[in-house]
Amino acid sequence: MTKLDILVIAAHPDDAELGCSGTILSHVAKGYKVGIVDLTQGEMGTRGTPEIRLQEAEEAGKILKLTARENLGFKDIYFLNDKAHQLKLIEVIRKYQPEIVIANAVTDRHPDHGKGSELASKACFMSGLRKIETSYNGQNQEPWRPKFVYHYIQNNYINPDFIVDITPYWDEKIASIMAFKSQFFDPNSKEPSSFISDPEFLPFIESRARDFGHRIMTTYGEGFTVERYIGVDDLFDLK
């Protein structure tokens, strides 16, 4: 078992890169161990294939310097927030024992995002219940509940509860996004167009990051929502 400081849960490969890769890079640079678990292979997407998406996720993981990345193979669009899916995600949470989980937006244009958010939140709570039994590699797992669950912001605008300065990591964030080259604008692509392959989509991602950055008096930021209040010991910890 490799213990992680932060586990990012994403409904689709590229969700984490679009939503919080700057924050991932920032914390990896500070020495934290960060991993991503993608729930699906994004196989219902307009462009690319599951095999291509897995290759792209591996390349993005190298750019982000992840400690771990895995794909649970849930059915894109059709996965549920039910017992079978909860138990599988609990196994992963107990396997990596993260202090912090960052999950999909609480609501969004794509229904899998809100559904993935709810699944992650419930699994994080359930993972701490001793009477829920799971195993990994034939060994019974100990209960584990992350200290914090945060949610990144995706397509739909949600007013953030806090914003992370990602200015020093902007170029690497974009590189991690563009590792998913099958998904985004390419004038030479023969595949059908999609919502995110529109040439205006990546400028939208930048404008959102600039808006969040402006709010904290920096250039680029990523916004997050919380499930409970954040406490501090020192007012000077706030920027």
Side-chain angles (χ1 to χ4, degrees):
M1 185 201 77
T2 300
K3 179 173 170 32
L4 297 176
D5 298 298
I6 300 173
L7 177 64
V8 180
I9 298 173
H12 311 107
D14 76 19
D15 282 357
E17 283 75 12
L18 288 165
C20 65
S21 55
T23 300
I24 292 172
L25 288 158
S26 170
H27 285 76
V28 168
K30 294 178 175 69
Y32 292 108
K33 293 181 179 179
V34 183
I36 296 175
V37 56
D38 298 307
L39 300 182
T40 78
Q41 296 177 6
E43 66 271 18
M44 297 300 288
T46 302
R47 294 156 69 101
T49 66
E51 294 76 20
I52 290 172
R53 299 291 290 273
L54 288 173
Q55 294 170 3
E56 292 171 341
E58 182 178 359
E59 180 60 29
K62 293 176 183 177
I63 295 169
L64 296 176
K65 302 178 180 65
L66 299 176
T67 298
R69 186 169 201 160
E70 59 181 277
N71 192 297
L72 296 188
F74 293 170
K75 297 298 183 184
D76 192 11
I77 288 291
Y78 295 108
F79 77 86
L80 300 172
N81 181 10
D82 62 5
K83 182 178 180 180
H85 292 83
Q86 291 158 3
L87 287 174
K88 185 61 179 177
L89 191 51
I90 289 168
E91 288 178 19
V92 173
I93 294 167
R94 290 177 172 178
K95 172 184 174 181
Y96 290 117
Q97 298 185 347
E99 303 297 322
I100 294 172
V101 162
I102 306 177
N104 283 98
V106 293
T107 184
D108 204 45
R109 171 183 176 272
H110 196 303
D112 278 1
H113 296 167
K115 186 166 53 175
S117 170
E118 292 175 358
L119 173 59
S121 293
K122 190 162 187 179
C124 283
F125 180 83
M126 294 171 67
S127 181
L129 299 177
R130 295 186 175 276
K131 291 184 178 180
I132 294 179
E133 297 180 357
T134 58
S135 63
Y136 177 72
N137 283 345
Q139 300 292 319
N140 292 335
Q141 293 180 300
E142 292 296 318
W144 181 268
R145 184 172 294 147
K147 291 183 175 68
F148 300 99
V149 179
Y150 303 134
H151 299 268
Y152 45 93
I153 294 169
Q154 298 185 257
N155 183 75
N156 292 0
Y157 183 81
I158 299 174
N159 201 41
D161 293 317
F162 68 89
I163 296 170
V164 176
D165 178 10
I166 62 165
T167 304
Y169 307 100
W170 177 251
D171 290 341
E172 291 171 279
K173 174 184 173 74
I174 293 299
S176 75
I177 292 171
M178 294 311 299
F180 294 91
K181 52 185 177 292
S182 70
Q183 300 302 302
F184 300 105
F185 179 69
D186 176 359
N188 299 313
S189 175
K190 304 300 183 186
E191 294 207 68
S193 60
S194 70
F195 181 76
I196 64 173
S197 73
D198 187 285
E200 295 303 315
F201 183 75
L202 289 177
F204 158 72
I205 294 297
E206 179 172 0
S207 67
R208 171 68 59 77
R210 283 186 175 275
D211 175 47
F212 285 154
H214 179 71
R215 290 173 177 233
I216 57 171
M217 295 180 289
T218 188
T219 306
Y220 296 108
E222 287 175 340
F224 299 85
T225 60
V226 303
E227 294 192 3
R228 66 176 178 83
Y229 289 117
I230 298 172
V232 296
D233 296 320
D234 189 331
L235 291 178
F236 290 95
D237 289 338
L238 301 174
K239 294 184 178 181

